[in-house]
C-alpha cells in the first residue's frame, strides 16, 4: 500500500507539473507537440497504476519483496538511458535491444522451468522490434520529437 501511495503522489506531481507548463500556443505549436503533453499522459498512467496497487493491496496479504525483480530492471533502465541512448547507437536499435533484454530477463526463470527458452527468445526479439518501431514512429511522427 505504501508503494501504491508513493506512485499516486509521484504521478500527481508529474501531471501537475506538466499541466502548468507553457503550451506555446502563441507560437503556433500544435497541441500534440506541446511540451507537457507526454509527461502529463505518463503522470496520469502512473496515478492509475498506483491506484491499482492500492486496491490490490487491500485484498491481498503482504508478500516478501523480490528485490531481484526491482533492481535488475532498474539497472537495465539505467544502462539503456545512460549507456546506449545518445552514444552512437540508433534509438530504434537501442530500444529494440532494451525491450528484448528486459522481457528475457524478467521471464527467464519461468520459461526455463517450462523448457521454453527458444520461444522466449523469439517472443523477446519480436516484441522488442515491434515496440521499438512503434515508439520511434509515435515520437517522430506524432509528437515531432527527433530521436537520437
Amino acid at each position: 500500500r505504501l508503494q501504491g501511495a508513493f506512485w499516486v503522489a509521484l504521478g500527481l506531481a508529474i501531471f501537475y507539473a506538466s499541466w502548468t507548463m507553457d503550451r506555446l500556443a502563441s507560437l503556433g505549436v500544435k497541441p500534440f507537440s506541446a511540451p507537457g503533453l507526454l509527461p502529463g499522459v505518463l503522470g496520469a498512467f502512473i496515478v492509475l497504476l498506483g491506484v491499482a496497487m492500492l486496491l490490490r493491496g487491500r485484498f491481498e496479504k503482504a508478500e516478501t519483496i523480490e528485490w531481484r525483480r526491482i533492481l535488475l530492471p532498474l539497472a537495465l533502465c539505467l544502462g539503456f538511458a545512460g549507456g546506449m541512448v545518445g552514444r552512437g547507437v540508433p534509438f530504434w536499435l537501442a530500444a529494440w535491444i532494451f525491450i528484448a533484454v528486459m522481457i528475457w530477463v524478467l521471464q527467464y526463470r519461468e520459461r526455463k522451468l517450462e523448457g521454453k527458452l527458444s520461444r522466449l527468445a523469439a517472443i523477446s526479439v519480436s516484441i522488442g522490434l515491434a515496440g521499438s518501431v512503434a515508439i520511434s514512429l509515435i515520437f517522430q511522427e506524432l509528437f515531432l520529437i527527433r530521436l537520437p
Side-chain angles (χ1 to χ4, degrees):
R1 283 184 237 149
L2 184 61
Q3 292 173 353
F6 168 78
W7 289 113
V8 168
L10 180 65
L12 287 172
I14 292 170
F15 185 82
Y16 174 77
S18 70
W19 187 263
T20 59
M21 287 180 77
D22 185 14
R23 304 261 189 276
L24 303 177
S26 61
L27 299 176
V29 172
K30 296 177 185 178
F32 280 121
S33 60
L37 179 64
L38 182 63
V41 170
L42 293 176
F45 277 115
I46 291 171
V47 169
L48 289 174
L49 294 173
V51 168
M53 288 177 72
L54 284 171
L55 292 174
R56 186 174 143 194
R58 279 187 67 187
F59 301 111
E60 293 183 5
K61 61 178 184 142
E63 296 179 16
T64 58
I65 295 174
E66 203 175 332
W67 288 104
R68 174 191 163 275
R69 293 185 67 89
I70 295 172
L71 297 176
L72 195 52
L74 179 62
L76 289 173
C77 288
L78 292 174
F80 171 68
M84 292 174 65
V85 175
R87 304 229 185 245
V89 179
F91 181 83
W92 66 268
L93 180 59
W96 183 4
I97 293 167
F98 170 73
I99 294 168
V101 169
M102 183 70 79
I103 293 169
W104 176 270
V105 165
L106 293 177
Q107 291 288 312
Y108 180 80
R109 262 199 235 165
E110 293 86 3
R111 300 296 181 221
K112 185 176 180 183
L113 291 174
E114 296 170 356
K116 296 182 179 179
L117 288 180
S118 58
R119 181 182 167 138
L120 175 60
I123 289 171
S124 299
V125 169
S126 300
I127 292 175
L129 176 60
S132 71
V133 168
I135 291 166
S136 296
L137 288 175
I138 288 169
F139 273 86
Q140 291 179 160
E141 302 302 323
L142 183 62
F143 296 126
L144 304 176
I145 296 173
R146 194 173 142 261
L147 298 172

